[in-house]
Amino acid sequence: MSNQIELRHLTYFLAVAQELHFRKAAEKLFISQPGLSRQIKQMEEILETQLFERNKKKVGLTPAGHYLKKEVEFIFNHMEKVERQLKLVGDGDSGELRIGFLGSAMQQVIPKMLLQIKEKYPKVKTSLEELSNFAQVDAVLKNQLDMGFVRVSRVPSTLEMKTVFTDTFSLVLPERYPMLTREFDGMERFAKEDFILFSQAYSPLYYDTILSICKDAGFAPKISHKSVHAHTIFKLVENHMGIAIVPTSLQNGFQMRVKFVELKDIPQRAELSVIWKKEHTNPVLKNCMELLLEG
Amino acid sequence: MSNQIELRHLTYFLAVAQELHFRKAAEKLFISQPGLSRQIKQMEEILETQLFERNKKKVGLTPAGHYLKKEVEFIFNHMEKVERQLKLVGDGDSGELRIGFLGSAMQQVIPKMLLQIKEKYPKVKTSLEELSNFAQVDAVLKNQLDMGFVRVSRVPSTLEMKTVFTDTFSLVLPERYPMLTREFDGMERFAKEDFILFSQAYSPLYYDTILSICKDAGFAPKISHKSVHAHTIFKLVENHMGIAIVPTSLQNGFQMRVKFVELKDIPQRAELSVIWKKEHTNPVLKNCMELLLEG
DNA sequence: TCAATTCATAACTATGAGTAATCAAATAGA
DNA sequence: TCTATTTGATTACTCATAGTTATGAATTGA
């Protein structure tokens, strides 16, 4: 004899509790009446509580039965809700998307994506975390993040990477820096300047790219300061601590007294990429990735 | 293949979700690992949702799995509570007691019983309804009430009845009614008075008893008013609309300008009885009845 | 490369849910 | 007052399936 209540018992109990009639309840359940009687009896034995009073011609609920009926109805309602919700979570219409990003991704890509997600999948919850390139790669690998927005040249083979935004670089100069923009004739003239860059540890690709730009211009930059925040870099430039080269899109979104000079003619580009796990199982990620790459 | 989730599935799912290890989970459940694997797989098929990601060496929860884990934990906690509560309801430590009563039972018996119940069975909820004798008998028979407090001579054979309070009758007279209490010499002198009584339909036994008192005194009372509320009766007496005979215990609990004269020397008594169904199944009733009859 | 893990698969066993046939008791109708 | 009908319970059976053992395939670490 089994000694554990099963959902079957609860289903049968509810049918009898509603019909107050074993034969009718059995019909409704598409089982035979003896089978139903035995299951109910077994249920009462397991719970050590009488649920029905039967006096050969009438069936009624005991107080315990009344109580249980209400509770079973609640439990079934709840389970139905869970089952519906589970489908949604499984289909990616609902759930959570954990996003890592570099500060520079906040200018364009992320806000646009968040709006699209909110419109198409309003039940999806997003969480954002600003992290370095390396920390994002690590977190995605560990399944602490679903996706990351990074500037890296390559990632481990278990990750996917797609470029989502390509940007030119711009020189960042103090507002009154003596230079006629129309006569800008290359990087060479900045060989003697102090440079303020994003930390190498924070973004190796960026760092290497800046070095290559300078190298193409025939000099190695004198690096005076390093930072992980664009805002800090701009402040330093503003206060004549040096000049910087950053992705052009950082021009928007900061209040600052600096001058941007877009380096259109050099081949280097700042590429922002999404990364995610190849074999992820988050349906929300799949849906949102489609939005990001197609929309 | 079964196509319905059972509690077994949820139990197994929770074990795996907690251990994130099939063999360990199977050990904890005292079943074999292949059996567990198959049940989980079946569960995923029924729900049409993948719950775990297994890559041959590691087991992890999918987002849907995470969601379901929380929900299953909630459901199990709830069910445990229900099971405990069900035992209490079955034992009569918890539950509901629906009580019917006559206004006059509110003077002594009911408040005392409610206090005792509250002390010994604090989880028991009581509901009170003031009803006529007939309505109470009817409601107890229909299982709308668990117990009733009535003044009747007899009840249908499916009900039990026990006297819980015996009371003398008292004459109710206007405050300044001319009478020397020490020289009270019988009912005879009130033969000409108007009488105010409880309605016959409300309490036939009371009605008959009053008639018998008067008959013993050698007269038939002139009945001027009938009421179902003691308060109304007292008000009428106060305003010289007549005199009344009521159970003595009604002397307490009302603010009124009337005089009570206890009829100690007549044989009639006002008996208050509890009634309940012989074959009831409410354990709360059983326990509370013991309190009432023994305490 | 080998030993030791992991979970999945396959074939089998045995428990117990569900069945059909029947019973005993209660009701309703003649 | 006697059926005829209806109720839920009981009995004996069968068959679906949860759980078993044995094994396989893949991963990991020495």
Side-chain angles (χ1 to χ4, degrees):
Chain A
M1 185 190 76
S2 93
N3 55 350
Q4 182 56 53
I5 287 288
E6 280 296 344
L7 285 183
R8 179 186 59 254
H9 292 113
L10 301 186
T11 307
Y12 292 0
F13 165 77
L14 201 57
V16 179
Q18 283 167 348
E19 299 287 330
L20 293 178
H21 198 290
F22 277 75
R23 189 181 52 74
K24 286 180 190 164
E27 269 176 31
K28 207 169 90 174
L29 295 165
F30 300 107
I31 62 169
S32 66
Q33 172 265 314
L36 178 58
S37 284
R38 266 200 34 206
Q39 288 296 309
I40 295 292
K41 192 183 166 191
Q42 191 188 65
M43 184 176 175
E44 290 178 326
E45 279 165 6
I46 296 171
L47 294 174
E48 295 174 355
T49 309
Q50 200 182 334
L51 301 171
F52 295 101
E53 4 174 359
R54 319 100 146 131
N55 51 5
K56 262 319 183 194
K57 203 66 188 178
K58 277 203 176 155
V59 176
L61 283 162
T62 63
H66 266 112
Y67 169 74
L68 188 61
K69 185 189 172 204
K70 275 198 314 187
E71 292 295 347
V72 169
E73 280 166 350
F74 169 83
I75 289 169
F76 279 2
N77 283 332
H78 186 76
M79 283 185 160
E80 257 176 56
K81 200 196 75 190
V82 170
E83 214 170 321
R84 277 198 306 277
Q85 186 64 16
L86 193 69
K87 282 268 168 60
L88 289 182
V89 176
D91 292 347
D93 290 338
S94 183
E96 197 189 14
L97 191 66
R98 300 158 302 170
I99 306 166
F101 66 101
L102 294 172
S104 58
M106 250 331 189
Q107 300 304 323
Q108 298 248 349
V109 181
I110 300 244
K112 187 182 164 197
M113 184 183 71
L114 292 182
L115 276 175
Q116 285 179 317
I117 290 174
K118 189 162 190 176
E119 193 183 337
K120 188 151 184 192
Y121 304 108
K123 287 175 191 162
V124 167
K125 274 185 191 166
T126 50
S127 71
L128 291 166
E129 199 172 356
E130 186 171 351
L131 293 169
S132 75
N133 286 295
F134 175 75
Q136 284 188 66
V137 171
D138 195 52
V140 171
L141 283 172
K142 281 184 187 164
N143 203 24
Q144 285 171 348
L145 285 181
D146 294 302
M147 63 202 304
F149 287 86
V150 294
R151 299 184 191 277
V152 296
S153 48
R154 53 193 311 274
V155 286
S157 64
T158 54
L159 297 190
E160 290 270 19
M161 176 160 86
K162 278 250 166 72
T163 299
V164 289
F165 190 71
T166 302
D167 203 0
T168 55
F169 284 98
S170 283
L171 257 176
V172 185
L173 304 172
E175 208 166 31
R176 302 196 177 176
Y177 193 87
M179 182 178 82
L180 299 173
T181 38
R182 60 178 177 185
E183 290 182 28
F184 178 72
D185 50 3
M187 285 293 298
E188 291 80 3
R189 59 180 288 195
F190 299 103
K192 301 286 181 217
E193 293 283 353
D194 281 340
F195 276 81
I196 305 162
L197 302 182
F198 283 102
S199 315
Q200 186 170 21
Y202 185 73
S203 185
L205 174 60
Y206 160 84
Y207 198 88
D208 292 348
T209 307
I210 302 304
L211 291 189
S212 88
I213 291 172
C214 295
K215 193 182 170 197
D216 288 352
F219 68 94
K222 204 170 80 186
I223 296 159
S224 61
H225 294 91
K226 297 178 182 176
S227 173
V228 298
H229 287 298
H231 188 252
T232 308
I233 292 177
F234 298 150
K235 272 285 164 198
L236 290 171
V237 171
E238 192 178 316
N239 291 294
H240 300 275
M241 307 298 285
I243 65 172
I245 303 178
V246 300
T248 303
S249 64
L250 284 176
Q251 185 162 19
N252 311 308
F254 294 94
Q255 273 203 326
M256 56 208 167
R257 295 184 192 166
V258 294
K259 176 158 60 182
F260 268 68
V261 180
E262 189 174 3
L263 305 174
K264 289 178 189 164
D265 300 329
I266 64 171
Q268 286 85 353
R269 290 290 178 270
E271 292 196 334
L272 184 71
S273 306
V274 217
I275 58 169
W276 71 97
K277 253 193 161 172
K278 266 178 185 163
E279 298 185 8
H280 72 90
T281 52
N282 188 344
V284 172
L285 176 58
K286 187 171 165 290
N287 288 338
C288 293
M289 201 57 78
E290 279 171 13
L291 275 185
L292 178 66
L293 299 180
E294 292 170 11
Chain B
M1 183 192 76
S2 93
N3 54 353
Q4 182 57 55
I5 288 289
E6 280 297 342
L7 285 182
R8 179 185 59 254
H9 293 112
L10 301 186
T11 307
Y12 292 0
F13 165 77
L14 200 57
V16 179
Q18 284 167 348
E19 300 287 332
L20 292 179
H21 199 292
F22 277 75
R23 189 182 51 74
K24 286 180 189 165
E27 268 175 32
K28 208 170 88 172
L29 294 165
F30 301 107
I31 63 171
S32 66
Q33 171 265 313
L36 178 58
S37 286
R38 265 199 35 204
Q39 288 295 308
I40 296 291
K41 192 184 168 194
Q42 191 187 63
M43 185 175 173
E44 291 178 325
E45 280 165 5
I46 295 172
L47 293 174
E48 295 174 356
T49 309
Q50 201 181 335
L51 300 171
F52 295 101
E53 4 175 0
R54 315 94 147 142
N55 52 3
K56 268 309 181 197
K57 203 66 187 177
K58 279 207 176 152
V59 177
L61 282 163
T62 61
H66 265 111
Y67 169 73
L68 188 61
K69 184 187 173 206
K70 276 197 315 185
E71 291 295 347
V72 169
E73 280 167 348
F74 169 83
I75 289 169
F76 279 2
N77 282 332
H78 187 75
M79 282 185 163
E80 256 175 56
K81 201 196 73 186
V82 169
E83 217 170 319
R84 276 199 307 279
Q85 186 64 14
L86 193 67
K87 280 269 169 58
L88 290 182
V89 175
D91 292 346
D93 288 339
S94 183
E96 199 190 14
L97 191 66
R98 299 160 302 170
I99 305 166
F101 66 101
L102 294 172
S104 58
M106 249 332 188
Q107 300 305 322
Q108 299 249 351
V109 181
I110 301 246
K112 187 184 164 197
M113 183 182 72
L114 292 182
L115 276 174
Q116 286 180 315
I117 291 174
K118 190 161 190 175
E119 192 184 335
K120 187 152 186 191
Y121 305 109
K123 288 175 190 163
V124 167
K125 275 185 189 164
T126 49
S127 70
L128 291 167
E129 198 171 356
E130 187 172 350
L131 292 169
S132 75
N133 285 294
F134 175 76
Q136 285 188 66
V137 171
D138 195 51
V140 172
L141 283 172
K142 281 182 187 163
N143 202 26
Q144 287 170 346
L145 285 180
D146 294 302
M147 64 203 301
F149 287 85
V150 295
R151 301 184 190 277
V152 297
S153 48
R154 55 192 311 273
V155 286
S157 62
T158 54
L159 298 190
E160 291 270 19
M161 175 161 85
K162 278 251 167 68
T163 299
V164 289
F165 191 70
T166 303
D167 203 1
T168 55
F169 283 98
S170 282
L171 256 176
V172 186
L173 305 172
E175 209 165 30
R176 303 196 177 175
Y177 192 88
M179 183 180 83
L180 299 174
T181 38
R182 61 179 174 182
E183 291 181 26
F184 179 72
D185 50 1
M187 286 293 299
E188 292 80 2
R189 58 180 289 193
F190 300 101
K192 301 287 182 216
E193 293 282 355
D194 280 340
F195 276 82
I196 304 162
L197 304 181
F198 283 102
S199 315
Q200 185 169 22
Y202 185 72
S203 185
L205 174 59
Y206 161 84
Y207 198 87
D208 292 347
T209 307
I210 303 304
L211 291 190
S212 88
I213 291 172
C214 294
K215 194 181 166 197
D216 288 351
F219 67 94
K222 204 170 82 187
I223 296 158
S224 61
H225 294 90
K226 297 177 182 176
S227 174
V228 298
H229 287 298
H231 190 252
T232 308
I233 292 176
F234 297 150
K235 272 285 163 198
L236 290 171
V237 171
E238 193 178 316
N239 291 295
H240 300 276
M241 308 299 287
I243 66 172
I245 303 178
V246 301
T248 302
S249 64
L250 285 175
Q251 185 164 17
N252 311 308
F254 294 95
Q255 274 202 324
M256 58 209 166
R257 296 182 190 167
V258 294
K259 175 158 58 181
F260 268 66
V261 179
E262 190 175 1
L263 304 175
K264 289 176 190 167
D265 301 329
I266 63 171
Q268 287 86 352
R269 289 290 179 270
E271 292 195 331
L272 184 72
S273 307
V274 217
I275 57 170
W276 70 96
K277 252 192 163 174
K278 266 178 185 162
E279 299 187 8
H280 73 90
T281 53
N282 189 343
V284 171
L285 176 58
K286 187 172 163 292
N287 288 339
C288 292
M289 199 59 76
E290 279 170 14
L291 275 186
L292 178 66
L293 297 180
E294 291 169 13

